[in-house]
Amino acid sequence: SLGIQKPLRQTTADFLTGVTQLGERRIVPGFEDRAPRSAEDFERMWIESTHRSIVMQQVSAFEKQVQEDARGHEIREFVDQTKMGAESNRLRRRSPYTSTIPYQFIQLFRRETAIMWGSRYTLAFRTAYQLIFAAIVGALFNQLPETTDGAFLRSGVLFFALLFSSLVAQAEMVAAVSGRLVTYKQKSLSMFHPGVLALVQTAADMVPNFITIALFSLILYEAAGLAQTAGQFFAFLLFLFSGCLCLTAMFRLIGNASPNLDIGHTVSGVILLFSILLNGYLKPPGQTGWWFRWIYWGINPLAYAYKALMANEFRNLELKCTGASLVPSGPGFDDIAHQVCTLQGARPGELNVLGRDYIAVGYQIYIKDQWKNFAAVIGYWIVFVIAMAVVMEFVEFGNTGYTIRVYKRRKPKVTLVTEDQ
């Protein structure tokens, strides 16, 4: 009816493509003046054709049937049923996700557990590596004496335990940077909220980290001969574990907030350096300049964890003054009434120095603040986890999963072929 002939052996797709090509199509003899030449001609002939009338009747009949059968409600229920989870009615209608946050958490936790099981040999090697270091350091500080000679050494053991967990936690920054492109792609497919993944990673790491820290603490604690009471050992384990969780969340936050690995290494290295130097061991807060003291009190979770460990270790300890700690010392000087103990916190006329007095005078650490320091570490951990979830949910770097290819429409250049040509 259009007056355009379909050549033999030409596919339907090629024929339909060539219909609008005036130089390629073949006109049926007798239709030279009636065959459409422009888009307006095609539109006019479509509107005047019986095919359009039939299609419009079918569309009207379908719309009427949809209204009568309440198909819209049925389709809406079908869409809601695709939203998995026990509480799908709590999802927003316009939410691109098909599962609730609790459902996402459970499934992501299973996936994270499977990933850990797949890398179980790596976890075993890391655990063995830490245990070997605990044995080496424990041998160096073997059975510290409860004298003034062992006061500073006990502080060193606690500092090493916290420092080693910090260095191990720094590896999480690299994992956060290297794995986020996959997370971006999965987010673009509406598989899960990246913020939920941050919570899952935090929860999934607790059990393996606790096992590693417990074995590490047991070896180091007994080898160094720290306070031999069950309560102080479990408090040591609790403070060290909370510090490890806090630093792990901090380095993950740095990794997710860094545009690339180079910046992440730089930022994490600077923060770790200041955290170590200003945690109160190498330089007590009283000897730190005011321009750095705010780091110790304000933004250094390592300092609060160290203060909790120190308070736990020295709370019931009595250090006996011996050797060079007594002035004057030597033959004939054996009366404490005529001697002075040089250890910080010593009292005149007393041979023993209370551990709580030693850390109060030397480190400005007080026993009454032990659990306040622990609460501060937990507070930092919660802030880091929440900040990490927010950053993973809303901040994106180098995102390759959200791009949508759009082709610009172009009007093809049409060359009119006239009878003169």
Side-chain angles (χ1 to χ4, degrees), residues 122-301:
T122 302
L123 294 175
F125 175 79
R126 187 179 68 180
T127 302
Y129 172 78
Q130 296 188 39
L131 298 184
I132 291 173
F133 261 84
I136 293 174
V137 176
L140 293 175
F141 294 90
N142 185 35
Q143 299 301 315
L144 294 174
E146 295 184 0
T147 63
T148 54
D149 295 334
F152 187 72
L153 296 178
R154 288 178 183 272
S155 305
V157 172
L158 302 177
F159 174 74
F160 167 79
L162 199 57
L163 173 63
F164 193 75
S165 63
S166 304
L167 297 177
V168 172
Q170 193 179 17
E172 296 296 333
M173 189 274 300
V174 180
V177 175
S178 59
R180 63 187 176 196
L181 290 181
V182 177
T183 303
Y184 292 159
K185 186 62 178 180
Q186 292 172 341
K187 179 186 176 183
S188 69
L189 299 175
S190 301
M191 296 179 64
F192 56 82
H193 287 278
V196 177
L197 179 61
L199 302 179
V200 168
Q201 290 176 341
T202 302
D205 283 345
M206 285 187 176
V207 174
N209 282 347
F210 179 79
I211 294 175
T212 302
I213 293 296
L215 296 176
F216 176 86
S217 301
L218 182 62
I219 295 175
L220 181 63
Y221 198 91
E222 294 302 324
L226 300 180
Q228 297 297 303
T229 63
Q232 287 176 287
F233 170 74
F234 286 113
F236 173 87
L237 176 60
L238 177 63
F239 298 154
L240 194 60
F241 177 61
S242 62
C244 179
L245 290 180
C246 183
L247 292 169
T248 300
M250 182 184 71
F251 285 119
R252 279 181 177 165
L253 172 62
I254 295 172
N256 287 287
S258 300
N260 52 58
L261 195 58
D262 294 335
I263 295 179
H265 274 304
T266 302
V267 174
S268 63
V270 171
I271 291 178
L272 182 60
L273 176 63
F274 278 97
S275 298
I276 293 174
L277 293 178
L278 302 174
N279 77 326
Y281 171 70
L282 298 176
K283 199 167 187 179
Q287 302 176 14
T288 305
W290 61 267
W291 50 89
F292 281 146
R293 199 171 300 168
W294 62 273
I295 297 178
Y296 175 84
W297 294 107
I299 58 174
N300 191 358

Side-chain angles (χ1 to χ4, degrees), residues 290-335:
W290 61 267
W291 50 89
F292 281 146
R293 199 171 300 168
W294 62 273
I295 297 178
Y296 175 84
W297 294 107
I299 58 174
N300 191 358
L302 204 63
Y304 289 95
Y306 181 69
K307 289 194 292 184
L309 289 172
M310 288 283 287
N312 176 70
E313 175 63 22
F314 286 90
R315 61 182 304 115
N316 298 322
L317 190 64
E318 290 189 7
L319 302 171
K320 183 179 180 181
C321 286
T322 58
S325 298
L326 285 173
V327 178
S329 61
F333 297 98
D334 54 1
D335 187 0

Side-chain angles (χ1 to χ4, degrees), residues 65 143 168 183 269 331 350 403 410:
Q65 182 179 0
Q143 299 301 315
V168 172
T183 303
E350 293 186 7
T403 56
R410 289 195 312 163

